[in-house]
């Protein structure tokens, strides 16, 4: 059919009629390669849009620091950060009723102030330390850009100090001190971060370096003079709980051991400094970068990860104050995770009589700056917590005003940058008269009306923070509109491609609708599109927009240009549908309604996994009843389909945080072998069952390796044995043997290659794939997810049996219409045209693909480095390698689903790429829905979840294409037997 090609250019109408079928097939393959490339690039670029919209870096340069106008209460400050120490485990007693941090508790009761510091997701080490030391919440994308160096340059309290001394982790200290000339720092070697190394050893190493510094100063006059100067910062990074040592002992004992260690070090640091300086001019701050779940994971916005302890004492810090009705009330302020200000303290903490002052994590930076009399970091968004500062009223007002001016300077700089780059600038009106407000504050301070000045300064600070948010989200409407139109255009263009290339639309009707000058019309449309693209690019260049803005708009205009280039086809299609019977239109509308319902079900399943339980209970019953009426019950297929679906329905009721259970992993290994034996027996003895003819091909020659099945079963059993052996070394505080490491890696790698040598009948090959990936999955499993592997495989087999039964029942009569107009068929010889009823296959695939994703949790578990599973392959701490292993584990169920999907498309003689394009269309319906569900209000946990859902769906579309190519290696040579001897003639 002659038409303008949206990617490769126009084809001559008369020439296309003379083109051979072979040539047209070659043209179609070339076009689809470009479609696949375009799809991957489009989703990769559009997925980056969430970083421009929601995760755009808050850092701007060009502001001058605000010099404070008050006397610094402290000469030096000590910052102790206990990595991974959560608040409740720090404050509450252990199982024996003893408090874990006796020294710091005595500080809370006698010397200083305390509270809970609330962190923002992602609750990882790097963004947590940036928030504490630099005072702003680094955009989450920075976590992936590097740990050892700053992906962006930012100001910090360390930068403003006269000299900084830092000791601790090689992943944290260099971020702040690596390029800082006025710093002295030292880290322990990366080799020390072995899983067999106890955290207390690393903390003692850090303290020893700190102690040796002061011992050397007694003999080094220059060093002593440096230590006696003003504005000195001392930073110790300790392991409060985020330690590699927790890999070899129960996690319940981590807090008891590590908190005691850091409390002891805090006491020794305090005593050493007080004995050395003897001037009472040292401030101390103890806190943590993030918390930790009961399983040892962190990264998300759960209170166990966001709530961290804060204890401050020493010079410039207020003393404890008893709580009373007058000084303890909810002031209405909400923190980033929706916690109340001065929330009620749990009784078990034993601190209900002492006033508690909660802060946002970024508030610690202006607190440290104020204690030292330094300018706040220029990109800080923290608010000075006055309840910690012990200064007179005039100094307090000056401190708050300096904090306000620093935030206001950021607002003014962002406003200036946006105005200079915008052709149509819209200012933030509430701060249009900020200078008069500043003058009013200065007048009130001159008149010593400190209370009114304080209130006005705090109001101005809140407005400045709102202004920062305004310019942070300035381009949201434009970007969201462009990207939404881009997704819609992509889906429409794919629908047009599928209709043109994979359906049996009457070619003659489309030929009649070809205009005499269609080629010229198409060129005019494309010329207009390219002109519009050029005009938009020029406007973006004038506004100095980021390069990705050009990519977003270019792709959107390009897609819609291709759609309008197909106006002749769209016009012909509309006339054809308009002339059909009402029944045909009703079928299309019903199919669309069912598809939308299932896709909406999948959208809601992202927040409620239990929906899958209901789904599989209902589908299992309905499918078995349908099969029971279609084929005799003696085949066992209806019962098997029902039981398989009901078995899988159990897993989405289980907790997302998987409890460790080695015996369950061993049992699942036995289950996998039993399933493999059953499939092997059916493959060898089912030739008498006519319902299995399409799955078992006994006419094929014998496999090259008759013992392949036994070898694969042996590897599954060996991997099951290696799981408890590897785990026993960890629980006994022993390093994993190199032999065990070699066996685990060899079994995992070798087993995944074996399916390539199996027989190429459908059941034989799928059984081999199932057994081939099982050892790797078992070695990376810690609990019930190993059983899920077998349950998912049973459901995939049930799906294949269901589709095979439909083929037999239809006896190809219903499919014969798919092979009309064979002389114009551009598909492969063994493929047929798509029909409306075939939409069920990509829809079922979408459900099973998402079940593989959410069946045992969700993608957020990647942030939870499950040491107990990756420890079987690696013993040296390597976050990116560990994450890669966990991601590969998550991909294994996806690969099983895609292998089953490929087999079903072969069995139904459907064009694989045509079905995959339908999958992409359905996935993008969900993607654009999640794009509109993204939240910019509420807690950061809610905001982060909504954005992650959009990112997951965008990535899923790309992963489907990549996994399709990967699994094609295993499934491309699968041979499907005809349903019955006459089927070949019928086709």
């Amino acid at each position: 059919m002659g038409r303008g090609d949206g990617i490769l250019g126009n084809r001559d109408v008369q020439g296309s009629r003379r083109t051979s079928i072979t040539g047209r097939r070659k043209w179609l393959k070339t076009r689809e390669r470009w479609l696949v490339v375009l799809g991957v690039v489009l989703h990769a670029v559009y997925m980056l849009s969430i970083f421009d919209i929601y995760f755009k870096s808050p850092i701007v340069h060009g502001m001058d620091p605000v010099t404070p106008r008050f006397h610094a209460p402290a000469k030096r400050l000590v910052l102790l950060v206990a990595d991974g120490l959560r608040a409740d485990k720090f404050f509450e007693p252990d199982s024996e009723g003893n408090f874990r941090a006796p020294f710091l508790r005595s500080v809370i009761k006698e010397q200083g102030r305390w509270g809970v510091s609330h962190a923002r997701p992602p609750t990882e080490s790097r963004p947590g330390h940036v928030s504490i030391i630099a005072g702003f919440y680094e955009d989450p994308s920075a976590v992936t850009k590097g740990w050892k160096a700053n992906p962006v340059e930012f100001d910090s309290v360390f930068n403003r100090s006269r000299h900084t001394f830092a000791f601790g982790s090689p992943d944290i200290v260099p971020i702040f001190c690596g390029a800082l000339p006025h710093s002295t720092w030292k880290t322990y070697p990366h080799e020390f971060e072995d899983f067999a190394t106890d955290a207390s050893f690393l903390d003692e190493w850090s303290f020893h370096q700190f102690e040796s510094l002061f011992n050397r100063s007694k003999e080094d006059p220059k060093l002593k003079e440096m230590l006696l100067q003003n504005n000195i910062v001392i930073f110790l990074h300790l392991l409060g709980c985020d330690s590699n040592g927790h890999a070899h002992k129960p996690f319940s004992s981590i807090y008891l051991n590590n908190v005691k260690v850091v409390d002891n070090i805090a006491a020794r640091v305090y005593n050493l400094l007080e004995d050395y300086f003897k001037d009472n001019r040292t401030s101390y701050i103890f806190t943590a970068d993030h918390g930790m779940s009961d399983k040892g994971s962190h990264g998300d916005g759960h209170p166990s990860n966001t709530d961290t302890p804060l204890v401050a004492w020493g010079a410039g810090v207020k003393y404890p104050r008893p709580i009373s009705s007058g000084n303890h009330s909810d002031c209405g302020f909400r923190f980033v995770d929706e916690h109340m200000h001065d929330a009620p303290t749990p009784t078990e903490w034993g601190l209900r009589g002492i006033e508690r002052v909660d802060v946002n994590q970024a508030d610690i930076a202006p607190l440290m700056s104020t204690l030292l009399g330094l300018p706040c970091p220029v990109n800080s968004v923290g608010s000075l917590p006055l309840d910690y500062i012990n200064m007179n009223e005039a100094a307090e007002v000056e401190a708050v005003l300096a904090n306000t001016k620093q935030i206001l300077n950021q607002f003014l700089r962002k406003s200036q940058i946006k105005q200079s780059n915008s052709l149509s600038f819209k200012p933030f009106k509430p701060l249009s008269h900020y200078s008069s407000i500043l003058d009013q504050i200065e007048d009130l301070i001159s008149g010593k009306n400190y209370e009114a000045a304080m209130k006005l300064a705090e109001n101005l600070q809140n407005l400045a923070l709102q202004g920062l948010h305004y310019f942070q989200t300035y381009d949201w409407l434009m970007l969201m509109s462009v990207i939404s139109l881009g997704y819609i255009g992509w889906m429409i263009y794919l629908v047009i491609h599928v209709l043109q290339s994979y359906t049996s639309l009457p070619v003659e009707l489309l030929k009649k609708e070809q205009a005499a000058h269609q080629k010229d019309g198409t060129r005019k449309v494309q010329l207009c599109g390219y002109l519009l693209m050029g005009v938009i690019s020029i406007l973006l260049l004038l506004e100095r927009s980021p390069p990705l803005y050009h990519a977003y708009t270019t792709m959107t205009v390009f897609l819609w240009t291709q759609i309008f280039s197909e106006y002749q086809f769209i016009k012909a299609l509309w006339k054809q549908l308009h002339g059909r019977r009402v029944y045909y239109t009703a079928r299309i509308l019903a199919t669309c309604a069912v598809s939308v319902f299932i896709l909406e079900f999948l959208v809601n399943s992202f927040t409620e996994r239990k929906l899958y339980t209901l789904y599989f209970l209902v589908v299992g019953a309905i499918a078995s009843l349908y099969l029971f009426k279609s084929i005799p019950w003696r085949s066992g297929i209806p019962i098997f389909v029902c039981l398989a679906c009901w078995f899988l329905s159990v897993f989405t009721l289980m907790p997302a945080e998987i409890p460790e259970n080695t015996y369950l992993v061993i049992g699942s290994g036995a289950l996998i072998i039993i399933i493999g034996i059953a499939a092997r027996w059916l493959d060898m003895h089912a030739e008498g069952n006519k319902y299995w003819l399409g799955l078992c091909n006994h006419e094929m020659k014998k496999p090259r390796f008759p013992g392949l099945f036994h070898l694969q079963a042996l590897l599954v059993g060996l991997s099951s044995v290696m799981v408890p052996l590897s785990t026993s070394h960890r629980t006994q505080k022993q390093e994993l043997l190199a032999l065990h490491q070699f066996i685990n890696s060899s079994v995992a790698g070798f087993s995944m290659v074996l399916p390539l040598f199996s027989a190429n009948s459908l059941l034989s090959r799928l059984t081999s794939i199932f057994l081939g990936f099982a050892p790797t999955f078992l070695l990376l499993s810690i609990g019930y997810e190993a059983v899920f592997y077998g349950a998912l495989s049973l459901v995939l087999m049930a799906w294949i049996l269901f589709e095979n039964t439909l083929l037999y029942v239809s006896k190809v009569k219903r499919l014969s219409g798919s092979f009309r107009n064979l002389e114009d068929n551009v598909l492969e010889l063994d493929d047929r045209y798509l029909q409306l009823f075939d939409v069920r296959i990509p829809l079922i695939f979408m459900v099973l693909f998402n079940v593989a994703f959410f069946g045992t949790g969700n993608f957020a578990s990647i942030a939870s480095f499950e040491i107990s599973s990756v420890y079987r392959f690696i013993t040296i701490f390597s976050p990116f390698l560990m994450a890669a292993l966990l991601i590969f584990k998550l991909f294994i169920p996806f690969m099983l689903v895609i292998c089953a999907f490929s087999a079903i498309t072969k069995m139904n003689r459907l064009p694989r790429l045509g079905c995959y394009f339908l999958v992409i269309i359905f996935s993008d319906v969900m993607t654009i829905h999640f794009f509109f569900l993204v939240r910019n209000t509420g807690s950061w946990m809610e905001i982060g979840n909504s954005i992650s859902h959009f990112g997951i769906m965008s990535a899923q579309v790309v992963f489907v294409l990549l996994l399709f190519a990967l699994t094609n290696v295993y499934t491309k040579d699968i041979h499907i037997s005809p349903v019955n001897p006459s089927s070949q003639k019928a086709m």
Side-chain angles (χ1 to χ4, degrees):
M1 62 185 75
R3 59 188 179 274
D5 178 17
I7 295 179
L8 300 180
N10 296 317
R11 295 188 302 154
D12 183 76
V13 176
Q14 297 300 326
S16 66
R17 293 176 180 174
R18 295 191 297 268
T19 303
S20 64
I21 292 177
T22 303
R24 293 168 65 190
R25 286 174 181 160
K26 184 177 180 181
W27 169 85
L28 179 62
K29 287 183 178 179
T30 306
R31 185 186 193 195
E32 288 182 335
R33 289 193 192 102
W34 280 99
L35 269 176
V36 169
V37 171
L38 178 64
V40 172
V41 172
L42 179 140
H43 287 93
V45 171
Y46 280 1
M47 188 164 57
L48 292 176
S49 67
I50 62 172
F51 297 105
D52 280 323
I53 297 174
Y54 301 101
F55 290 156
K56 193 172 183 179
S57 176
I59 295 177
V60 289
H61 300 285
M63 296 88 65
D64 295 325
V66 179
T67 304
R69 302 183 301 191
F70 57 86
H71 181 69
K75 289 183 63 175
R76 68 200 67 87
L77 181 138
V78 179
L79 174 63
L80 304 170
V81 178
D83 202 318
L85 178 58
R86 80 192 221 195
D88 57 348
K89 297 299 181 182
F90 173 78
F91 291 116
E92 70 186 17
D94 57 25
S95 57
E96 299 177 357
N98 300 318
F99 291 104
R100 300 181 174 99
F103 169 73
L104 290 171
R105 285 187 68 85
S106 67
V107 168
I108 292 172
K109 293 181 178 181
E110 301 170 7
Q111 291 181 264
R113 304 286 272 167
W114 76 284
V116 173
S117 170
H118 301 290
R120 283 188 181 183
T123 43
E124 301 287 352
S125 294
R126 178 195 167 93
H129 282 85
V130 169
S131 177
I132 293 169
I133 300 170
F136 70 92
Y137 302 102
E138 191 171 29
D139 63 299
S141 63
V143 179
T144 65
K145 296 178 184 176
W147 289 78
K148 299 179 180 63
N150 294 345
V152 290
E153 292 298 326
F154 54 80
D155 192 18
S156 71
V157 176
F158 294 178
N159 293 34
R160 297 294 162 190
S161 68
R162 179 164 296 181
H163 202 91
T164 294
F165 301 90
F167 308 97
S169 169
D171 293 325
I172 299 300
V173 173
I175 294 175
F176 302 94
C177 299
L180 194 62
H182 58 276
S183 66
T184 301
W185 56 278
K186 195 169 184 181
T187 66
Y188 44 78
H190 272 288
E191 292 75 22
F192 283 15
E193 296 183 304
D194 190 275
F195 293 135
T197 303
D198 198 295
S200 61
F201 170 78
L202 301 179
D203 288 346
E204 285 292 341
W205 183 95
S206 298
F207 177 78
H208 175 71
Q209 300 301 317
F210 165 80
E211 187 179 38
S212 65
L213 173 74
F214 286 89
N215 291 334
R216 283 188 286 111
S217 69
K218 297 176 182 178
E219 300 176 358
D220 187 343
K222 290 185 178 180
L223 178 59
K224 184 173 184 179
E225 182 182 358
M226 185 184 301
L227 289 170
L228 293 174
Q229 291 178 340
N230 293 335
N231 303 333
I232 299 298
V233 175
I234 299 170
F235 170 49
L236 264 73
H237 174 267
L238 306 173
L239 295 174
C241 186
D242 192 10
S243 66
N244 308 318
H246 74 258
H248 57 65
K249 53 189 174 185
F251 190 80
S252 58
S253 66
I254 287 297
Y255 288 109
L256 177 61
N257 296 332
N258 287 20
V259 175
K260 282 185 175 180
V261 171
V262 297
D263 180 73
N264 178 261
I265 289 179
R268 291 156 67 187
V269 167
Y270 173 75
N271 292 330
L272 188 153
L273 292 181
E274 291 302 305
D275 290 341
Y276 185 89
F277 292 110
K278 297 184 176 66
D279 59 0
N280 296 323
R281 295 291 304 279
T282 307
S283 298
Y284 302 87
I285 290 180
F286 174 88
T287 187
D289 55 348
H290 57 78
M292 188 83 70
S293 71
D294 289 334
K295 282 193 59 195
S297 63
H298 58 89
D300 59 26
H302 191 274
S304 64
N305 293 333
T306 60
D307 290 0
T308 61
L310 174 62
V311 181
W313 73 100
V317 180
K318 289 181 179 178
Y319 282 88
R321 184 166 65 164
I323 202 167
S324 65
S325 58
N327 63 16
H328 182 78
S329 63
D330 178 18
C331 68
F333 184 76
R334 293 294 185 272
F335 291 91
V336 291
D337 52 1
E338 293 296 306
H339 285 208
M340 290 189 302
H341 178 64
D342 293 347
T345 303
T347 306
E348 59 269 21
W349 290 9
L351 297 171
R352 299 197 72 171
I354 305 174
E355 185 181 16
R356 162 184 168 181
V357 183
D358 287 6
V359 301
N360 288 326
Q361 194 172 62
D363 297 343
I364 298 175
L367 172 61
M368 292 191 292
S369 298
T370 301
L371 290 172
L372 290 173
L374 298 172
C376 291
V378 294
N379 287 114
S380 171
V381 294
S383 298
L384 176 63
L386 282 175
D387 287 330
Y388 281 87
I389 301 296
N390 185 20
M391 297 191 299
N392 58 48
E393 195 174 7
E396 285 185 355
V397 173
E398 290 290 354
V400 171
L401 182 59
N403 186 196
T404 300
K405 287 181 178 179
Q406 169 264 321
I407 296 174
L408 184 63
N409 283 347
Q410 292 183 71
F411 163 79
L412 295 175
R413 179 58 179 162
K414 286 194 173 185
S415 177
Q416 179 187 1
I417 293 173
K418 183 56 65 176
Q419 185 174 7
S420 63
N421 295 335
S422 298
L423 298 176
S424 178
F425 177 69
K426 296 179 181 179
F428 183 66
K429 294 181 180 180
L431 280 177
S432 57
H433 303 292
Y434 73 91
S435 57
S436 62
I437 300 176
L438 286 175
D439 292 338
Q440 189 177 354
I441 294 173
E442 294 291 353
D443 292 340
L444 290 171
I445 293 176
S446 300
K448 297 187 179 181
N449 190 351
Y450 299 126
E451 184 177 352
M454 179 74 74
K455 185 175 181 180
L456 202 57
E458 290 175 343
N459 291 338
L460 180 59
Q461 184 179 121
N462 291 332
L463 286 176
L465 289 171
Q466 293 174 27
L468 287 176
H469 177 74
Y470 172 79
F471 286 113
Q472 191 75 11
T473 61
Y474 190 86
D475 295 328
W476 277 20
L477 180 60
M478 182 273 289
L479 289 175
M480 294 180 77
S481 301
V482 169
I483 291 164
S484 299
L485 287 173
Y487 274 117
I488 294 172
W490 166 251
M491 289 186 288
I492 293 175
Y493 190 60
L494 275 188
V495 169
I496 291 174
H497 173 73
V498 171
L499 292 175
Q500 287 177 336
S501 305
Y502 297 108
T503 61
S504 57
L505 289 172
V507 179
E508 292 79 8
L509 176 61
L510 296 178
K511 289 177 180 177
K512 294 177 183 178
E513 297 297 331
Q514 298 297 329
H517 304 286
Q518 180 191 0
K519 186 174 181 180
D520 294 336
T522 301
R523 284 181 175 177
K524 290 178 181 178
V525 172
Q526 292 182 343
L527 179 61
C528 292
Y530 297 146
L531 287 175
L532 177 61
M533 197 183 301
V535 170
I536 294 175
S537 295
I538 291 173
L539 293 175
L540 291 175
L541 283 172
L542 291 175
E543 293 194 344
R544 300 178 186 176
S545 298
L548 279 177
Y549 284 30
H550 294 264
Y552 304 148
T553 55
T554 298
M555 284 189 172
T556 300
V557 175
F558 173 79
L559 286 168
W560 282 97
T561 300
Q562 309 316 310
I563 292 171
F564 286 118
S565 297
E566 302 284 355
Y567 68 94
Q568 289 291 349
F569 175 79
I570 297 172
K571 180 181 177 182
L573 180 63
W574 171 254
K575 286 188 176 182
Q576 182 186 8
L577 292 176
H578 190 67
R580 289 279 187 141
R581 295 179 181 178
V582 177
Y583 171 74
Y584 185 78
T585 305
R587 282 184 59 198
I588 294 177
L589 293 177
T591 302
C592 292
V594 172
S595 301
V596 170
F597 175 80
I598 293 176
L599 294 175
E600 288 300 307
F601 165 86
L602 294 176
V603 168
N604 286 279
S605 70
F606 271 64
T607 54
E608 188 55 62
R609 293 170 57 237
K610 295 179 181 178
L611 288 174
Y612 287 111
T613 300
L614 177 63
Y615 174 86
F616 281 103
L617 288 175
V618 173
V619 167
I622 294 176
S624 61
L625 288 175
Y626 175 82
L627 293 173
F628 185 77
K629 291 183 179 180
S630 303
I631 58 178
W633 65 271
R634 290 185 300 277
S635 66
I637 294 176
I639 297 175
F640 172 75
V641 170
C642 183
L643 292 179
C645 290
W646 286 5
F647 183 31
L648 186 64
S649 69
V650 175
F651 290 89
T652 46
L653 294 175
M654 295 183 178
E657 291 191 358
I658 303 172
E660 188 167 358
N661 190 327
T662 304
Y663 298 107
L664 208 54
V665 178
I666 298 173
S668 63
L671 175 64
I672 289 170
I673 294 175
I674 292 172
I675 294 174
I677 292 173
R680 174 76 170 174
W681 184 88
L682 288 171
D683 192 30
M684 298 177 64
H685 300 88
E687 61 270 4
N689 192 329
K690 54 189 176 183
Y691 302 105
W692 290 77
L693 290 179
L695 309 183
C696 308
N697 191 359
H698 300 286
E699 298 177 359
M700 301 293 296
K701 62 181 180 180
K702 293 184 179 181
R704 289 174 290 177
F705 303 99
L708 180 63
F709 172 80
H710 302 90
L711 176 60
Q712 288 188 293
L714 178 64
L715 291 177
V716 174
L718 179 59
S719 63
S720 301
V721 173
M722 292 305 300
V723 168
L725 283 178
S726 302
T727 306
S728 65
H729 283 277
R730 175 174 56 84
T731 55
Q732 295 172 10
K733 302 183 181 182
Q734 296 177 358
E735 186 176 357
L736 183 65
L737 297 179
L739 176 62
H740 289 178
Q741 217 174 335
F742 175 77
I743 293 174
N744 292 342
S745 301
S746 300
V747 168
F750 183 59
S751 64
M752 290 186 291
V753 179
L754 292 179
L756 298 174
F757 303 97
S758 64
N760 60 357
S761 64
L762 187 147
L763 187 59
S764 296
R765 177 56 59 87
L766 291 184
T767 303
S768 184
I769 292 172
F770 166 68
L771 293 174
F773 285 99
T776 308
F777 195 83
L778 289 174
L779 288 169
L780 287 170
S781 298
I782 61 171
Y784 74 82
E785 82 272 29
V787 186
F788 171 79
Y789 181 86
L792 178 64
S793 302
L794 291 175
V795 169
L796 294 175
M797 193 65 231
W799 183 25
I800 294 172
L801 290 174
F802 182 83
E803 293 291 340
N804 188 59
T805 302
L806 287 181
L807 278 177
Y808 178 83
V809 171
S810 68
K811 294 183 179 180
V812 200
K813 293 179 181 178
R814 182 166 45 80
L815 304 178
S816 59
S818 301
F819 294 88
R820 292 176 298 176
N821 302 321
L822 287 176
E823 67 275 8
D824 294 305
N825 188 4
V826 298
L827 306 179
E828 297 294 334
L829 292 175
D830 292 333
D831 289 342
R832 63 175 176 84
Y833 283 127
L834 288 172
Q835 291 186 312
L836 193 60
F837 187 64
D838 295 324
V839 171
R840 76 186 185 281
I841 294 177
L843 283 175
I844 294 173
F845 169 80
M846 288 290 296
V847 174
L848 292 173
F849 195 82
N850 281 275
V851 167
F853 193 85
F854 289 108
T856 58
N858 55 56
F859 209 69
S861 60
I862 291 177
S864 314
F865 291 106
E866 293 289 352
I867 308 270
S868 34
S869 61
V870 299
Y871 178 72
R872 296 158 193 163
F873 292 94
I874 180 175
T875 59
I876 302 298
F877 181 74
S878 177
F880 294 108
L881 180 57
M882 292 158 60
L885 288 171
L886 291 172
I887 291 173
F888 183 73
K889 172 191 172 184
L890 292 175
F891 279 176
I892 290 176
F894 297 161
M895 296 179 69
L896 292 183
V897 175
I898 292 180
C899 286
F901 182 51
S902 298
I904 287 173
T905 56
K906 281 179 173 286
M907 191 168 62
N908 284 278
R909 301 185 64 182
L910 297 175
R912 289 180 301 167
L913 273 177
C915 291
Y916 272 88
F917 285 138
L918 289 177
V919 169
I920 293 173
I921 293 169
F922 291 144
S923 297
D924 281 334
V925 172
M926 296 176 61
T927 302
I928 196 170
H929 190 152
F930 280 123
F931 187 73
F932 286 113
L933 289 179
V934 169
R935 297 188 56 179
N936 59 359
T937 58
S939 71
W940 257 87
M941 181 178 182
E942 294 166 337
I943 296 172
N945 283 342
S946 64
I947 295 174
S948 67
H949 293 164
F950 167 69
I952 287 170
M953 280 309 304
S954 298
Q956 178 172 305
V957 175
V958 179
F959 289 151
V960 167
L961 293 172
L962 296 178
L963 291 175
F964 167 53
L966 181 61
T967 54
N968 189 51
V969 176
Y970 293 95
T971 60
K972 64 181 179 180
D973 59 343
I974 289 180
H975 183 85
I976 305 294
S977 298
V979 178
N980 53 50
S982 63
S983 62
Q984 288 179 330
K985 297 179 181 179
M987 295 185 184

